[in-house]
Short mmCIF file of all heavy atoms in Angstrom, two decimals:
data_model
loop_
_atom_site.label_atom_id
_atom_site.label_comp_id
_atom_site.label_asym_id
_atom_site.label_seq_id
_atom_site.Cartn_x
_atom_site.Cartn_y
_atom_site.Cartn_z
N ALA A 783 38.74 3.93 93.46
CA ALA A 783 39.94 3.10 93.59
C ALA A 783 41.10 3.92 94.12
O ALA A 783 41.80 3.51 95.04
CB ALA A 783 40.30 2.48 92.23
N LYS A 784 41.27 5.12 93.57
CA LYS A 784 42.41 5.96 93.98
C LYS A 784 42.26 6.42 95.42
O LYS A 784 43.26 6.66 96.10
CB LYS A 784 42.51 7.16 93.05
CG LYS A 784 43.83 7.90 93.21
CD LYS A 784 44.05 8.95 92.14
CE LYS A 784 45.41 9.61 92.33
NZ LYS A 784 45.67 10.62 91.30
N ASP A 785 41.02 6.52 95.89
CA ASP A 785 40.78 6.95 97.26
C ASP A 785 40.44 5.77 98.16
O ASP A 785 39.81 5.91 99.19
CB ASP A 785 39.64 7.99 97.29
CG ASP A 785 39.59 8.75 98.61
OD1 ASP A 785 40.63 8.89 99.26
OD2 ASP A 785 38.49 9.21 98.99
N GLY A 786 40.86 4.57 97.77
CA GLY A 786 40.68 3.39 98.61
C GLY A 786 41.30 3.67 99.97
O GLY A 786 42.22 4.47 100.09
N GLU A 787 40.79 2.99 100.99
CA GLU A 787 41.23 3.31 102.35
C GLU A 787 42.75 3.27 102.47
O GLU A 787 43.38 2.25 102.24
CB GLU A 787 40.59 2.35 103.35
CG GLU A 787 39.14 2.77 103.63
CD GLU A 787 38.38 1.78 104.50
OE1 GLU A 787 38.87 0.68 104.72
OE2 GLU A 787 37.28 2.16 104.94
N GLY A 788 43.34 4.40 102.84
CA GLY A 788 44.78 4.49 103.05
C GLY A 788 45.61 4.55 101.79
O GLY A 788 46.83 4.64 101.86
N ALA A 789 44.96 4.51 100.63
CA ALA A 789 45.70 4.41 99.36
C ALA A 789 46.51 5.66 99.05
O ALA A 789 46.11 6.78 99.37
CB ALA A 789 44.74 4.13 98.22
N THR A 790 47.66 5.46 98.41
CA THR A 790 48.46 6.59 97.93
C THR A 790 48.59 6.57 96.41
O THR A 790 49.04 7.54 95.83
CB THR A 790 49.88 6.58 98.53
OG1 THR A 790 50.60 5.43 98.04
CG2 THR A 790 49.84 6.52 100.05
N LYS A 791 48.22 5.44 95.77
CA LYS A 791 48.38 5.31 94.32
C LYS A 791 47.18 4.61 93.69
O LYS A 791 46.65 3.68 94.27
CB LYS A 791 49.63 4.49 94.00
CG LYS A 791 50.96 5.15 94.37
CD LYS A 791 52.12 4.19 94.11
CE LYS A 791 53.41 4.63 94.78
NZ LYS A 791 54.03 5.81 94.18
N LEU A 792 46.84 5.05 92.48
CA LEU A 792 45.85 4.34 91.67
C LEU A 792 46.59 3.26 90.88
O LEU A 792 47.59 3.54 90.24
CB LEU A 792 45.16 5.30 90.70
CG LEU A 792 44.22 4.68 89.65
CD1 LEU A 792 42.98 4.06 90.30
CD2 LEU A 792 43.78 5.73 88.62
N LEU A 793 46.10 2.03 90.98
CA LEU A 793 46.70 0.91 90.24
C LEU A 793 45.71 0.45 89.18
O LEU A 793 44.60 0.03 89.50
CB LEU A 793 46.99 -0.23 91.23
CG LEU A 793 47.46 -1.56 90.65
CD1 LEU A 793 48.79 -1.40 89.90
CD2 LEU A 793 47.62 -2.60 91.76
N THR A 794 46.12 0.57 87.90
CA THR A 794 45.26 0.14 86.80
C THR A 794 45.90 -1.08 86.14
O THR A 794 47.11 -1.11 85.96
CB THR A 794 45.14 1.27 85.76
OG1 THR A 794 44.55 2.41 86.38
CG2 THR A 794 44.28 0.85 84.58
N CYS A 795 45.11 -2.08 85.81
CA CYS A 795 45.64 -3.19 85.02
C CYS A 795 44.88 -3.25 83.70
O CYS A 795 43.65 -3.38 83.69
CB CYS A 795 45.51 -4.52 85.76
SG CYS A 795 46.18 -5.89 84.78
N LYS A 796 45.62 -3.12 82.60
CA LYS A 796 45.03 -3.22 81.27
C LYS A 796 45.46 -4.54 80.66
O LYS A 796 46.66 -4.81 80.53
CB LYS A 796 45.53 -2.09 80.37
CG LYS A 796 44.91 -0.76 80.65
CD LYS A 796 45.28 0.27 79.59
CE LYS A 796 44.83 1.64 80.10
NZ LYS A 796 45.00 2.73 79.16
N VAL A 797 44.51 -5.36 80.27
CA VAL A 797 44.82 -6.65 79.67
C VAL A 797 44.36 -6.64 78.21
O VAL A 797 43.22 -6.25 77.92
CB VAL A 797 44.13 -7.80 80.43
CG1 VAL A 797 44.35 -9.13 79.74
CG2 VAL A 797 44.61 -7.84 81.87
N THR A 798 45.24 -7.04 77.30
CA THR A 798 44.83 -7.22 75.90
C THR A 798 45.25 -8.63 75.46
O THR A 798 46.10 -9.26 76.10
CB THR A 798 45.50 -6.20 74.96
OG1 THR A 798 46.93 -6.34 75.07
CG2 THR A 798 45.12 -4.76 75.32
#
Side-chain angles (χ1 to χ4, degrees):
Chain A
K784 193 171 182 179
D785 195 28
E787 281 174 348
T790 66
K791 293 175 195 289
L792 173 67
L793 173 62
T794 299
C795 181
K796 284 189 190 185
V797 176
T798 59

